Amino acid sequence: MSNCWNNISLRRSLFAITCVAVTLLAACEKLPLWRTYSAEGLEAFANGDVARAEHFLKAAVKDAERHGSNDFRVAITLNILAGYYRTLERYNEAEPLYERALGVAESRWAPNHPRIALVLENYSLLLSQTDRVNEAALMAGRAAAIRRSQAN
């Protein structure tokens, strides 16, 4: 893996950038609570308040789960929380969340849905960071195939 991934500040910045859409959604009125919590968590993380970020991101998952354990909101919030843990190198906490997010995503969306590709891409980053290069390549390849199918 590139040496740039050794810099936690860079990883925090990249995580915040990839999740900026969620943060922007919080600016709208009457957003669902899970989106508001996600945005608050990402904002806190971007500002370096790790404890507050974790609190809000966990609250986002809990609120999403009110809609059912297989609801699309669960896949989205789990992916965000897993990314948070991955960025902090808390890989043992991130991996089961990615696994669950992927399972929910695959049960909710068509096999070539971009949200499945997003979870696969993020999960493959964790696998790369934990030196599981072959597994990472398989996931990244699957995500790339989904992205190519969407481009056509």
Side-chain angles (χ1 to χ4, degrees), residues 55-151:
H55 167 77
F56 278 112
L57 295 176
K58 283 182 171 182
V61 171
K62 186 174 181 178
D63 185 68
E65 288 173 331
R66 289 184 318 108
H67 302 280
S69 61
N70 255 3
D71 188 82
F72 76 94
R73 291 164 271 234
V74 174
I76 293 168
T77 56
L78 286 171
N79 187 51
I80 294 169
L81 181 58
Y84 163 82
Y85 286 138
R86 179 182 51 78
T87 303
L88 294 177
E89 299 180 357
R90 291 166 61 179
Y91 304 126
N92 290 335
E93 293 168 88
E95 187 162 10
L97 299 177
Y98 278 133
E99 289 172 355
R100 186 169 165 220
L102 184 58
V104 173
E106 290 174 329
S107 75
R108 298 297 302 174
W109 293 301
N112 66 341
H113 196 283
R115 288 195 191 264
I116 293 175
L118 180 62
V119 176
L120 288 166
E121 290 161 348
N122 291 333
Y123 195 172
S124 73
L125 288 173
L126 177 138
L127 294 170
S128 292
Q129 289 172 294
T130 56
D131 297 323
R132 292 154 61 194
V133 180
N134 292 336
E135 291 174 77
L138 289 172
M139 277 203 188
R142 187 171 160 215
I146 293 170
R147 298 287 187 200
R148 281 191 304 274
S149 75
Q150 293 299 304

